[in-house]
Amino acid sequence: MSEDKHIQPPGNLVGRDVLTLLDFTTDEIQDLLTFSEQLKEHHKQYGQSQLLQGKSLGMIFENASTRTRVSFEVGMTQLGGHSLFLSPRDMQIGRGEPIKDTAQVLSRYLDAIMIRTNSHETVEELATHSDVPVINALTDLYHPCQALADVLTIKEHKGSLDGLKAAFVGDGNNVANSLLVACAKTGMDAALAVPAGYEPDDKVWKEIQQTAEENGTNVELTNTPQDAVKDADVIYTDVWASMGYEEEQAKREKAFAGFQINEALCANAKDDFIFLHCLPAHRGEEVAASIIDGPHSAIYDEAENRLHVQKAILASVME
């Protein structure tokens, strides 16, 4: 604990909301990644720190969670702070209280608010009315905490991000959106392969393209998985039916036929590619067991890194 002086947040992110990585510069993202590495090493050497001693995080969950809830709760504990699990079923927001009122009241109790919900507009409205930082822990459009953990994992396995190519095969969802933004801002090219009709939101895709152009990287959208994974350093996928789309399972299984990450598809990638998945995974559906449980898989490093990047975010945005 006495070694906290060796790890200090970047200093330029205090009070910032974390709604999408589009709001962060390349330097700010690199600072968060470096700080994540420092916190990871610090915990291995010294254990718990006191960077957030006396601070409280409110965690609003409208959706089920394993990694997000545990990593945020443990992260606050490891930083010397406190977290509160807030279910809409137990809050007045679940009975129709305006988001504005909830945001204003929670701001007087808490030092930051984390929310996992469906509509990205809900997170934006919460941030508009909150006087403390709001962290997006997943919406229908973005999953910035996951994307930071993804690029940290790639950096650990590859040594550098510059010039790498990441391929996402599957649904053009929140995970794909945030991954492509993170790649574009950290020097990586990216390709997204989706079945026709499952492309990202038009506005989001235009923002991704603009981000890549501004950062001198390349993003590609295709309906052919083999084209996306050609010479890829990283292959990524997610479940075909994300939360909220479970009733489309049968329809999506038919639409996504041919998009499974398996040995034949991965033969198009570089020999030393790594495989990522945000989890939970359906072996035999979006990914073959031989890949997700094979030597190229880095899924558990990726899951662990959720803890470290979120600690970096928490310690950086709180006063």
Side-chain angles (χ1 to χ4, degrees):
M1 297 182 196
S2 61
E3 300 297 328
D4 280 1
K5 63 180 180 292
H6 297 303
I7 49 166
Q8 292 299 322
N12 58 341
L13 300 178
V14 175
R16 290 277 296 275
D17 296 318
V18 183
L19 308 187
T20 165
L21 294 181
L22 290 167
D23 299 331
F24 290 77
T25 67
T26 293
D27 287 343
E28 288 170 341
I29 292 174
Q30 294 289 4
D31 286 345
L32 282 172
L33 293 176
T34 299
F35 188 35
S36 301
E37 292 170 329
Q38 293 171 347
L39 287 170
K40 187 173 184 177
E41 183 61 29
H42 179 277
H43 187 73
K44 289 180 180 178
Q45 290 192 38
Y46 306 109
Q48 181 172 320
S49 81
Q50 294 298 312
L51 286 174
L52 293 182
Q53 184 177 17
K55 303 293 184 181
S56 294
L57 171 70
M59 307 190 307
I60 302 174
F61 281 93
E62 293 186 351
N63 290 316
S65 171
T66 298
R67 281 149 292 278
T68 298
R69 178 176 176 179
V70 174
S71 57
F72 267 108
E73 283 201 32
V74 172
M76 280 299 291
T77 299
Q78 291 184 1
L79 293 171
H82 175 67
S83 58
L84 300 92
F85 175 76
L86 304 172
S87 167
R89 293 186 297 273
D90 304 320
M91 299 171 62
Q92 296 301 333
I93 194 172
R95 299 177 60 241
E97 180 176 67
I99 293 175
K100 175 182 178 180
D101 293 349
T102 298
Q104 285 287 302
V105 171
L106 291 182
S107 296
R108 306 217 176 181
Y109 300 146
L110 303 168
D111 299 286
I113 302 169
M114 182 232 79
I115 180 170
R116 183 176 193 141
T117 186
N118 293 316
S119 172
H120 193 72
E121 293 178 354
T122 297
V123 175
E124 293 177 327
E125 185 176 358
L126 185 68
T128 296
H129 298 291
S130 172
D131 294 326
V132 298
V134 171
I135 301 169
N136 173 11
L138 180 145
T139 64
D140 55 358
L141 289 184
Y142 296 108
H143 199 351
C145 297
Q146 179 66 57
L148 285 174
D150 297 337
V151 292
L152 177 61
T153 306
I154 297 169
K155 184 179 180 183
E156 288 178 342
H157 280 259
K158 295 297 183 179
S160 173
L161 299 173
D162 291 338
L164 297 181
K165 176 185 176 181
F168 188 101
V169 178
D171 190 16
N173 61 11
N174 44 16
V175 174
N177 294 341
S178 289
L179 175 70
L180 266 61
V181 172
C183 288
K185 293 211 172 198
T186 56
M188 296 178 61
D189 294 331
L192 173 62
V194 300
Y198 292 89
E199 294 83 2
D201 175 87
D202 286 342
K203 180 182 177 182
V204 171
W205 179 246
K206 289 178 182 177
E207 290 175 329
I208 291 170
Q209 288 180 304
Q210 181 179 345
T211 300
E213 183 177 344
E214 291 172 350
N215 289 274
T217 54
N218 181 64
V219 292
E220 173 190 353
L221 179 61
T222 178
N223 300 124
T224 307
Q226 290 79 6
D227 291 343
V229 304
K230 181 175 174 55
D231 296 327
D233 300 279
V234 181
I235 299 178
Y236 200 130
T237 194
D238 190 6
V239 295
W240 290 340
S242 299
M243 284 184 293
Y245 294 93
E246 291 87 354
E247 73 282 357
E248 297 183 7
Q249 181 67 32
K251 174 186 174 182
R252 285 174 175 253
E253 286 181 8
K254 183 177 180 179
F256 284 80
F259 282 76
Q260 184 189 79
I261 307 299
N262 51 36
E263 300 282 356
L265 182 61
C266 292
N268 295 279
K270 290 184 179 176
D271 292 339
D272 62 346
F273 80 91
I274 64 170
F275 172 76
L276 299 180
H277 193 305
C278 58
L279 301 179
H282 298 158
R283 288 165 173 80
E285 189 172 307
E286 76 272 6
V287 59
S290 61
I291 298 296
I292 194 170
D293 298 320
H296 294 278
S297 180
I299 61 170
Y300 299 127
D301 294 337
E302 178 187 13
E304 177 191 345
N305 281 335
R306 287 290 303 279
L307 171 66
H308 306 300
V309 299
Q310 287 160 191
K311 286 169 65 176
I313 291 170
L314 291 168
S316 296
V317 302
M318 289 194 200
E319 293 281 358

